[in-house]
Amino acid sequence: MPHDLPIFLVGMMGAGKTTIGRGLARALGREFIDLDHELESRCGVRVPVIFEIEGEGGFRKREAAALDHCTQRRGIVLATGGGAVLAPENRRLLRQRGVVVYLRASVDELFRRTSRDRNRPLLANPDPRGTLRDLMTKREPLYEEVADLIVDTGTMPVAHLVKSLLPLLQAYEKPHDRC
C-alpha cells in the first residue's frame, strides 16, 4: 500500500465486513479489528446483551466511543457495525481518518446470509427481510456518503473479492477536501 491510512469497511449486516476484512488485512499484512468484537471485549458481554440492557441508544453511544478510539489507529482494517454510519460524528470520523469501502449487497443476499444468525438483535422479529429492506432504505445513502470506494459483494468468493479490491486500494488517493 502506498499509505498507512486505516481502511474502514461499512455496509449492512451480512455484507461481509468481517469476513472480507479478515482476508483484506491478511493480504495487506495489517491488523484486523471488528468494531462489534471490540465493543464486546470492552463490555464483557455480547452485542445482543448490550442491546437488551441499554437499548439501541446505549449501544450506539458505546459504539461511537469505540469507533473514535479505533479510527485513530494507522495501518489497520476495521469492520464497522452496520449502524455505525447513523451518527453524523461517526460519518465525519470515518471520512476524515481513513479510506472507506462500502461493501454493498442486495436485501435478498443479506437475508440469506443473516437468516440463521441469532446475534442480530435488530433482526429478532417476525419480518427480518422487511427489517433489512427498511434498514437498507435508511442506511444506503449514508454508506454512499462516506464511501471512497463501493464494492458489490454479491456471490463472488471472498478470496476473489479481496484480490479485486487490492489494486483499487493501492491506486486510491484520498482527496484532500475529504480529510
Side-chain angles (χ1 to χ4, degrees):
M1 293 289 296
H3 57 74
D4 70 343
L5 286 173
I7 298 167
F8 306 135
L9 304 178
V10 300
M12 290 285 292
M13 62 183 98
K17 297 181 300 289
T18 300
T19 307
I20 293 164
R22 279 196 183 107
L24 190 58
R26 203 170 21 256
L28 294 171
R30 291 182 171 210
E31 180 184 0
F32 172 72
I33 301 171
D34 182 298
L35 195 61
D36 283 348
H37 295 165
E38 182 77 12
L39 275 166
E40 289 174 348
S41 71
R42 285 175 172 221
C43 297
V45 295
R46 308 267 314 169
V47 165
V49 176
I50 300 169
F51 261 80
E52 188 179 312
I53 294 170
E54 298 184 2
E56 188 173 356
F59 172 79
R60 296 291 173 211
K61 195 177 292 186
R62 289 181 181 275
E63 180 180 56
L67 183 80
D68 181 29
H69 174 77
C70 290
T71 57
Q72 294 180 53
R73 298 179 62 184
R74 306 293 282 192
I76 62 164
V77 174
L78 175 70
T80 65
V85 296
L86 295 172
E89 177 64 8
N90 290 353
R91 293 194 304 277
R92 186 184 68 76
L93 294 177
L94 290 167
R95 275 195 312 270
Q96 287 183 348
R97 294 181 177 172
V99 179
V100 184
V101 180
Y102 168 26
L103 298 177
R104 185 167 54 191
S106 70
V107 170
D108 288 340
E109 186 64 25
L110 296 170
F111 179 73
R112 188 184 67 70
R113 294 177 188 171
T114 60
S115 62
R116 288 186 282 291
D117 188 340
R118 298 292 157 240
N119 282 322
R120 310 279 184 183
L122 293 177
L123 298 182
N125 66 62
D127 183 18
R129 186 187 301 262
T131 301
L132 283 168
R133 197 170 17 274
D134 293 346
L135 290 171
M136 177 75 95
T137 300
K138 290 179 190 135
R139 295 177 180 179
E140 187 158 44
L142 303 176
Y143 296 139
E144 290 173 350
E145 174 189 322
V146 298
D148 294 305
L149 300 168
I150 298 176
V151 177
D152 288 301
T153 59
T155 56
M156 187 187 294
V158 172
H160 289 107
L161 210 136
V162 168
K163 203 173 194 172
S164 69
L165 195 49
L166 291 174
L168 298 175
L169 286 166
Q170 289 180 333
Y172 185 78
E173 289 187 37
K174 189 93 173 161
H176 294 294
D177 62 347
R178 295 213 37 179
C179 295

